[in-house]
């Protein structure tokens, strides 16, 4: 393309301060360097992780910054050493990566790349530590190596998944993070068998994706656990959730409630809250002998998990899951194909759409708990 090798001026939504509305700014986006790709972002969606780091409550503040990581776009140009992508490719940006060279990437069991594993504190690119964004001569920090709240962005090629060009970017952009995190936790890690029971703790976007995974697996019973009763009637039923449990409505531990509901415990459980107490509940509610609990939510740094060793000795299994155990470049195109083949329903996750100029409305929806996923149309 004619812009290859040159700086591009475009609009970006810049966070100058924690918790303050994003500001639409003209920024300069540098050409991609070694192993990098410059992408024209067509659609991006807002994830709760963006909101958390924008608020900077409990995280190291790093501003000014361009947030965003769930996005679909088209490759504009590639840097030195990039051989698997070219101008015109339709792609998704991923918050973690797949270098293809480390032990994790060579393992069929792991997706935790040594080079490109998620790093929330890095504000520049891996190649040289420098930012590819600037405004009026001032450097602007990257976020998760993606920074998709910009009309153009630069991403390491290992964090870019090439997808079917027929896939609608305004739908499949949500595959980049939360959808795959929950879906894969069920399909790839919990692996329920047809007819088995599954409990999902936390019915936000990730939990609903885990429920969708249980539905695809043919689970006979899907129990949703959440403190907000509206989440069952207003959303979870669409994802195959058959039963709802609100811990506040019972005078006994919720794990005991579920054990009594299921004649000894569920076959599988997936925890999507980040609360250690909920993690314990999710583990202790699975059936002895074969029950498997999968932890997805991210706890606080000083949290500790405590349960009686007999829960393990009675052959309950506890597992963790990172990004649904999907390798970004290898596996994510296949998730897109599930949507194209009508095996996976993405449309029901998308509750709102806003033009790029009104991106702050998306933050309002998310902060108020009014949306599952809000799509931001970069061209509107």
């Amino acid at each position: 393309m004619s812009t290859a090798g040159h700086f591009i001026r475009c609009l970006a939504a810049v966070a100058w301060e924690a918790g303050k509305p994003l500001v639409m700014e003209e920024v300069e986006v540098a050409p991609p360097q070694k192993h990098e790709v410059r992408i024209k972002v067509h659609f991006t969606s807002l994830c709760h992780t963006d909101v958390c780091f924008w608020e900077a409550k409990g995280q190291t503040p790093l501003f000014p910054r361009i947030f965003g990581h769930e996005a679909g776009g088209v490759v504009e140009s590639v840097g030195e050493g990039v051989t698997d992508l070219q101008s015109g490719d339709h792609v998704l940006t991923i918050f973690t990566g797949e270098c293809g060279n480390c032990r994790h990437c060579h393992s069929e069991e792991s997706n935790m790349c040594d080079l490109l594993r998620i790093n929330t504190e890095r504000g520049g690119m891996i190649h040289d530590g420098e930012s590819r964004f600037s405004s009026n001569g001032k450097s602007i920090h990257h976020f998760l190596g993606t920074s998709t709240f910009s009309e153009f962005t630069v991403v390491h090629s290992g964090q870019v998944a090439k997808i079917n060009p027929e896939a609608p970017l305004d739908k499949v952009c949500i595959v980049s993070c939360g959808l795959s995190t929950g879906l894969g936790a069920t399909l790839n890690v919990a692996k329920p068998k047809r007819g088995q029971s599954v409990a999902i703790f936390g019915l936000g976007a990730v939990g609903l994706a885990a429920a969708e995974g249980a539905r695809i697996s043919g689970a006979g019973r899907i129990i949703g656990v959440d403190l907000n009763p509206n989440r069952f009637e207003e959303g979870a039923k669409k994802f195959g959730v058959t039963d709802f449990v609100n811990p506040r409505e019972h005078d006994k531990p919720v794990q005991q409630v579920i054990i009594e509901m299921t004649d000894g415990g569920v076959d599988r459980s997936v925890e999507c809250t980040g609360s250690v107490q909920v993690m314990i509940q999710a583990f202790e509610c699975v059936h002895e002998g074969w029950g498997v609990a999968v932890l997805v939510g991210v706890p606080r740094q000083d949290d500790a998990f405590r349960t009686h060793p007999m829960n393990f000795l009675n052959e309950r299994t506890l597992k963790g899951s990172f990004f649904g155990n999907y390798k970004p470049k290898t596996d994510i195109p296949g998730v897109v194909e599930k949507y194209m083949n009508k095996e996976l329903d993405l449309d029901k996750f998308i509750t709102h759409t806003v033009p790029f100029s009104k991106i702050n409305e998306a933050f309002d929806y998310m902060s108020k708990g009014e949306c599952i996923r809000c799509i931001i149309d970069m061209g509107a």
Side-chain angles (χ1 to χ4, degrees), residues 4-31:
H6 301 283
F7 281 79
I8 291 178
R9 289 182 179 272
C10 69
L11 287 178
V14 180
W16 291 99
E17 297 179 64
K20 297 294 179 66
L22 307 189
V23 180
M24 300 301 295
E25 303 277 9
E26 183 179 77
V27 298
E28 284 194 331
V29 185

Side-chain angles (χ1 to χ4, degrees), residues 127-264:
H127 174 61
D128 55 11
E130 299 295 322
S131 174
R132 304 290 177 258
F133 297 105
S134 63
S135 177
N136 296 319
K138 182 178 179 61
S139 178
I140 302 174
H141 296 293
H142 291 248
F143 179 62
L144 300 180
T146 51
S147 294
T148 60
F149 295 163
S150 173
E151 293 176 323
F152 285 85
T153 189
V154 176
V155 183
H156 191 286
S157 63
Q159 292 180 244
V160 179
K162 180 180 176 180
I163 63 168
N164 185 340
E166 299 298 320
L169 294 174
D170 60 330
K171 308 293 185 185
V172 300
C173 64
I174 68 171
V175 170
S176 292
C177 179
L179 183 284
S180 295
T181 296
L183 183 75
T186 303
L187 293 179
N188 301 333
V189 186
K191 298 180 180 179
K193 298 175 182 177
R194 181 167 295 277
Q196 288 190 322
S197 57
V198 181
I200 309 294
F201 287 76
L203 297 177
V206 175
L208 292 175
E212 178 73 356
R215 183 193 67 79
I216 292 171
S217 297
R221 191 177 188 185
I222 304 173
I223 302 170
V225 183
D226 202 286
L227 297 176
N228 183 351
N230 294 329
R231 285 185 166 180
F232 179 55
E233 294 295 339
E234 296 176 3
K237 281 186 176 180
K238 298 177 185 177
F239 296 83
V241 176
T242 58
D243 300 80
F244 179 75
V245 175
N246 183 344
R248 289 176 176 161
E249 296 178 352
H250 299 273
D251 57 3
K252 62 182 69 174
V254 70
Q255 54 267 54
Q256 188 61 40
V257 173
I258 293 174
I259 287 171
E260 293 174 4
M261 287 174 62
T262 55
D263 189 24

Side-chain angles (χ1 to χ4, degrees), residues 328-344:
K329 296 177 74 71
T330 301
D331 298 329
I332 290 305
V335 179
V336 171
E337 289 308 305
K338 283 184 181 294
Y339 172 71
M340 298 298 286
N341 295 332
K342 302 188 185 306
E343 301 170 42
L344 170 65

Side-chain angles (χ1 to χ4, degrees), residues 35 69 84 92-107 110-120 122 126 144-146 155-161 176-177 322-323 325-332:
H35 299 311
H69 58 285
D84 61 333
L92 300 182
T93 59
I94 314 292
F95 68 93
T96 188
E98 182 181 353
C99 73
N101 299 316
C102 69
R103 291 182 66 189
H104 286 280
C105 287
H106 286 163
S107 168
S110 176
N111 65 345
M112 303 189 72
C113 176
D114 283 332
L115 178 66
L116 299 172
R117 190 180 308 179
I118 182 173
N119 185 324
T120 59
R122 184 187 301 124
I126 287 177
L144 300 180
T146 51
V155 183
H156 191 286
S157 63
Q159 292 180 244
V160 179
S176 292
C177 179
F322 171 69
F323 191 46
N325 200 229
Y326 287 118
K327 291 180 184 289
K329 296 177 74 71
T330 301
D331 298 329
I332 290 305

